[in-house]
Amino acid sequence: MKGNPEERAVALAEYIIEQNSTVRKAAAAFMLSKSTVHKDITERLRRIDPLLAARVAQVLAVNKAQRHLRGGAATRQKYRLLRSRRSGGD
């Protein structure tokens, strides 16, 4: 969804709020770069709809606060998989 940046910013914001999505997941869903999504929801959206921008900011703040937990879980899973492969648990 390239098109009109203002419409795209609103669509991205609605998606992020409804899906409780991260910037990465929204970028993948809309086939855009993370940079484009971030610019749309932080800069453009603030000019277009400040209330919607505030709601998106809340979701992103929660995601940011939890990212170290997600990263730790992903690393733990990676090393469990590697250990199971080495021990023949495949």
Side-chain angles (χ1 to χ4, degrees):
M1 174 186 197
K2 303 287 181 191
N4 184 347
E6 287 78 19
E7 290 175 9
R8 183 179 65 213
V10 171
L12 282 165
E14 290 171 351
Y15 178 83
I16 289 171
I17 291 168
E18 289 171 9
Q19 302 295 317
N20 199 28
S21 175
T22 62
V23 170
R24 283 179 188 254
K25 287 182 183 176
F30 284 78
M31 292 184 283
L32 299 168
S33 71
K34 291 183 309 180
S35 300
T36 301
V37 172
H38 192 266
K39 182 176 181 104
D40 283 352
I41 61 177
T42 57
E43 295 177 20
R44 287 191 178 104
L45 192 60
R46 207 176 304 152
R47 288 191 312 259
I48 300 166
D49 189 343
L51 294 176
L52 187 58
R55 289 176 54 206
V56 170
Q58 287 177 336
V59 173
L60 296 180
V62 170
N63 288 339
K64 186 174 182 182
Q66 294 175 348
R67 74 179 170 191
H68 69 285
L69 298 172
R70 284 192 215 108
T75 301
R76 192 168 28 259
Q77 183 178 2
K78 172 184 171 183
Y79 285 104
R80 281 185 184 151
L81 178 64
L82 288 174
R83 249 186 272 132
S84 73
R85 285 185 180 169
R86 271 193 241 134
S87 65
D90 219 7

